């Protein structure tokens, strides 16, 4: 049995960057100018901020020391009566301001060519199914948590279609974002990126490599696989529960005793589990999501 940890941020060297990967400024329907949006994120301790306005690429403000900025865009795609949104970061070409893509394929192909990293936004808000996710060719990641969608309509979490896609063999990252359109939604969900250097190029390469985890509060401090014992272990900020989630019913729930939160958990990986990811729940119910790691039952450790 082999657990592929090459996509683990904990196996990579470098800087941890607290990232806002989906934002809106006054360039579209946000409430702050790009400069003020950047300053607000800096005050909240972010080191990586992407500007992802609707169908328009915001001019990048001059970042203060210690903060990396990325260009980006959010594209609304027609899909019958629904309208999925795709987000692209670190654009090699500007999206023509105001233009809307005519099809999912057009948006997907443009992003695959022009964005350093791209993902599907808020599957719940867009009412998307697992089949919809699987239909997007080589989709790198989805938002497993969009705090704006949770605070507005209660459909901020997307772990079900994520697991269903992973169970079907997809490699798919899970991001947490705010997608804030108002001050109250800022700083609620974020992605922690492990980049070898604090630069736009290195941060985007880290995202493409899967070197990140998502959170609305808990910290995942370490995630290690011991090949000798076949055990995956996690260390985290105080948690009421740590889940090892995999294909079907083969996972494990490690629930803390009331009043004594746990800061570590371990699972002897089942060779037939397909993939495994870790989800941490803190005492107030906030969650963090590691990426998913593939398990090859026939692989050497
Ligand atoms: Zn959207
Ligand atoms: Zn948005």
């Amino acid at each position: 049995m082999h657990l592929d940890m090459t996509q683990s941020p904990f196996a990579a060297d470098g800087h941890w960057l607290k990232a806002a990967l989906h934002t809106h400024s006054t360039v579209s329907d946000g409430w702050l100018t790009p400069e003020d949006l950047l300053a607000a994120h800096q005050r909240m301790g972010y080191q990586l901020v992407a500007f992802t306005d609707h169908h328009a690429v915001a001019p990048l403000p001059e970042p203060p020391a210690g903060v990396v900025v990325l260009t980006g865009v959010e594209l609304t795609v027609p899909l019958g009566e629904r309208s999925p949104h795709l987000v692209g970061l670190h654009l090699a070409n500007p999206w023509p301001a105001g233009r809307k893509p005519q099809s999912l394929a057009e948006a997907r192909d443009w992003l695959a060519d022009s964005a350093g990293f791209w993902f599907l936004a808020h599957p719940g808000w867009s009412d998307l199914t697992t089949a919809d996710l699987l239909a997007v060719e080589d989709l790198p990641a989805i938002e497993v948590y969009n705090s704006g969608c949770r605070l507005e309509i209660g459909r901020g979490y997307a772990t079900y279609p994520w697991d269903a896609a992973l169970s079907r063999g997809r490699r798919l990252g899970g991001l947490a974002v705010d997608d804030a359109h108002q001050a109250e939604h800022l700083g609620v969900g974020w992605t922690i990126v492990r980049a070898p250097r604090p630069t736009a190029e290195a941060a985007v390469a880290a995202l493409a490599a899967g070197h990140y985890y998502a959170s609305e509060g808990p910290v995942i401090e370490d995630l290690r696989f011991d090949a000798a014992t076949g055990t995956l272990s996690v260390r985290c900020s105080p948690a009421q529960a740590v889940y090892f989630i995999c294909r079907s019913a083969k996972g494990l729930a490690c629930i803390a005793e009331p009043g004594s939160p746990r800061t570590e958990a371990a699972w002897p990986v089942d060779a037939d589990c397909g993939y495994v990811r870790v989800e941490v729940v803190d005492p107030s119910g906030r969650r963090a999501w590691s990426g998913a790691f593939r398990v090859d039952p026939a692989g050497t450790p």
Side-chain angles (χ1 to χ4, degrees):
M1 186 268 289
H2 175 70
L3 181 62
D4 180 3
M5 296 288 282
T6 53
Q7 291 194 309
S8 170
F10 302 96
D13 289 330
H15 304 255
W16 291 109
L17 304 176
K18 182 177 180 179
L21 301 179
H22 185 166
T23 70
H24 294 283
S25 77
T26 49
V27 170
S28 61
D29 55 355
W31 78 109
L32 295 175
T33 64
E35 289 75 15
D36 289 346
L37 191 62
L38 178 60
H41 282 95
Q42 190 198 11
R43 284 194 297 275
M44 298 179 114
Y46 286 80
Q47 292 99 17
L48 176 61
V49 180
F51 294 81
T52 60
D53 278 298
H54 299 281
H55 308 111
V57 180
L60 286 184
E62 187 64 35
V67 181
V68 177
V69 292
L70 299 176
T71 56
V73 71
E74 180 172 22
L75 302 178
T76 299
V77 173
L79 188 70
E81 294 182 346
R82 298 172 300 158
S83 54
H85 294 183
L86 294 170
V87 178
L89 308 180
H90 198 51
L91 306 176
N93 311 300
W95 179 261
R99 195 176 113 68
K100 290 190 175 181
Q102 300 300 300
S103 68
L104 183 67
E106 181 198 344
R108 182 258 167 230
D109 290 349
W110 186 85
L111 289 165
D113 283 346
S114 302
F117 181 67
W118 59 284
F119 54 93
L120 178 74
H122 44 64
W125 186 89
S126 298
D127 197 29
L128 300 183
T129 65
T130 303
D132 295 325
L133 269 55
L134 293 171
V136 184
E137 187 186 349
D138 294 331
L139 176 63
I142 64 167
E143 293 174 354
V144 295
Y145 180 60
N146 180 307
S147 63
C149 293
R150 176 175 72 82
L151 294 164
E152 270 183 18
I153 60 164
R155 294 189 72 175
Y157 298 99
T159 45
Y160 176 76
W162 189 30
D163 283 308
L166 293 168
S167 290
R168 283 150 185 79
R170 266 302 177 92
R171 274 192 193 274
L172 192 62
L175 308 167
V177 304
D178 279 334
D179 190 10
H181 291 73
Q182 60 192 81
E184 294 75 18
H185 297 173
L186 202 63
V188 184
W190 52 86
T191 301
I192 302 286
V193 182
R194 180 77 156 170
R197 291 172 304 285
T199 64
E201 290 72 21
V204 168
L207 286 165
H211 293 163
Y212 55 85
Y213 74 92
S215 182
E216 57 173 335
V219 176
I220 300 177
E221 292 168 355
D222 199 11
L223 194 56
R224 296 279 160 189
F225 179 63
D226 181 349
T229 61
T231 302
L232 181 64
S233 52
V234 58
R235 283 194 299 111
C236 57
S237 54
Q240 59 157 301
V242 178
Y243 298 103
F244 294 88
I245 294 168
C246 61
R247 188 172 63 200
S248 69
K250 293 179 180 290
L252 177 70
C254 302
I255 310 294
E257 295 292 328
S260 58
R262 57 191 309 158
T263 55
E264 53 188 24
W267 182 52
V269 176
D270 185 300
D272 294 319
C273 72
Y275 71 94
V276 58
R277 65 178 184 84
V278 172
E279 196 163 319
V280 175
V281 187
D282 76 11
S284 60
R286 298 180 303 172
R287 291 173 184 260
W289 304 265
S290 82
F293 309 108
R294 298 237 274 217
V295 177
D296 176 2
T300 48

